[in-house]
Amino acid sequence: MPELRIIDLRSDTVTKPTPEMREAMFRAEVGDDVYGDDPTVNKLEEMAAEKVGKEAAVFVPTGTMGNQTSIMAWTSRGDEIIVEEQAHIYMYEVGGPAVLSGVQVRPIRGRLGVMDPADVKAAIRAPNIHFPKTTVVCIENTHNRSGGCVVPLDNMKAIYEVAHEAGVKVHLDGARVFNAAIALGVDVKEITQYCDSVQFCLSKGLCAPMGSIVAGPKDFIARVRKYRKLLGGGMRQVGVVAAAGIVALTKMVDRLAEDHANAKRLAEGINKIPGLAVEMETVQTNMVAVHTRGLAMDGPDFQKLMKSYGVLFNADLPYRVRMVTHHDVTAADIDEALERIAYAVKNR
Ligand SMILES: *Cc1c(COP(=O)(O)O)cnc(C)c1O
């Protein structure tokens, strides 16, 4: 068999920096960022804060560090934080809240990642000598484990109000908040108005090689900056990557609509293949959750089958795989992937 071109749908994190990013990285003016001397980092942080309507921002190496330093900065040991049951912070951050902040995590069941504000309200602890103190509610938008579903604005507003009435902060895990903004057709500030702090990734659909932003009030960002140092995330001439982040923020946001269109195209195509099923309701941004039970094949087996045809994706539930569209796969690649999947399923 001739060598097949790989179509990589594992994640939008596989995107490579664009030629414009590499050029900007090459030309970046740099300095020692721990001294606050890197003009490119300073520019990125100012731009990012402005973009999400917050007082200040700090560049961190990863989304995980952004979320964890935010929790560290909002909480004290023994506090409780509320998260959606399938949240990245709860599922995929290695128990960070327990290890780093010494807080207890209270998961709440949502629907497609969306928590009921009444459940959040009920979970916020009353003052009582027996209870931990609730200090933060985390919202994730878009919601990764639900297949990139969007948390609607009215839901965010209601949770923000319920939290604030109780003196509780809202942190937004907005790793893909720009996907949410594009899907909702709103400026990202319409979303971030309903949180006290936000973390978003430059390294996913926006194609930067690394980096996330935490934005929020000035004093909070000063604490996050210090916790970043504590975790070993104080970086030096990091303007070389911040330069790619600036291109990500200025040039790569609007084109996320193409990824969303490609996800729809992929989902519709998959629904024509006997044995595979996608619930179209969940295809809201750049992810497609594909059910494999109809093939009598579990996710990992289907993943292995398609890997031999050069189509890569992750298996995230026993009978479900996740395919993610991004800058480095075109509509033609999607059609090619669909052809290979249809062929493989028929001839297995
Ligand atoms: C990817 C992701 C993160 C973490 O980002 P890393 O840069 O991989 O550490 C956090 N939250 C959500 C929802 C994510 O999808």
Side-chain angles (χ1 to χ4, degrees), residues 4-136:
L4 278 173
R5 188 168 46 86
I6 300 289
I7 301 171
D8 193 344
L9 302 171
R10 286 173 301 169
S11 175
D12 46 12
T13 56
V14 304
T15 46
K16 300 196 172 141
T18 63
E20 189 177 353
M21 285 178 181
R22 290 178 188 267
E23 186 65 29
M25 293 169 81
F26 178 70
R27 302 204 176 280
E29 261 187 77
V30 296
D32 188 334
D33 181 51
V34 173
Y35 288 97
D37 281 354
D38 191 302
T40 309
V41 174
N42 294 343
K43 183 174 163 197
L44 171 63
E45 290 177 346
E46 271 167 43
M47 274 182 54
E50 199 281 321
K51 189 116 183 153
V52 293
K54 300 295 175 201
E55 264 176 24
V58 57
F59 183 59
V60 293
T62 64
T64 300
M65 194 186 287
N67 284 333
Q68 294 304 324
T69 50
S70 296
I71 294 166
M72 291 168 90
W74 283 133
T75 61
S76 299
R77 202 163 61 96
D79 288 351
E80 186 167 75
I81 67 170
I82 295 172
V83 302
E84 198 279 330
E85 181 179 70
Q86 299 288 325
H88 194 281
I89 287 174
Y90 186 52
M91 298 290 294
Y92 297 125
E93 299 191 7
V94 210
V99 176
L100 300 168
S101 298
V103 298
Q104 171 165 292
V105 178
R106 178 95 173 262
I108 286 185
R109 178 158 305 177
R111 187 182 173 276
L112 298 180
V114 179
M115 295 181 282
D116 185 331
D119 293 341
V120 174
K121 187 170 182 164
I124 293 175
R125 307 279 192 163
N128 180 308
I129 195 171
H130 302 89
F131 294 164
K133 184 177 177 201
T134 309
T135 40
V136 184

Side-chain angles (χ1 to χ4, degrees), residues 5-11 14-15 255 258-259 262-263 266 324-334 337:
R5 188 168 46 86
I6 300 289
I7 301 171
D8 193 344
L9 302 171
R10 286 173 301 169
S11 175
V14 304
T15 46
R255 66 148 306 284
E258 291 170 37
D259 300 344
N262 281 339
L266 178 62
V324 183
T325 57
H326 53 76
H327 176 262
D328 300 355
V329 290
T330 61
D333 292 331
I334 295 299

Side-chain angles (χ1 to χ4, degrees), residues 2 33 36 76 81 92 97 101 124 133 144 157 172 177 194 204 215 228 235 269 300 320 347:
D33 181 51
S76 299
I81 67 170
Y92 297 125
S101 298
I124 293 175
K133 184 177 177 201
N144 187 339
K157 180 170 191 273
L172 175 61
V177 73
Y194 301 125
K204 292 187 169 165
R228 182 188 67 172
M235 299 172 286
R320 192 177 82 176
N347 296 288

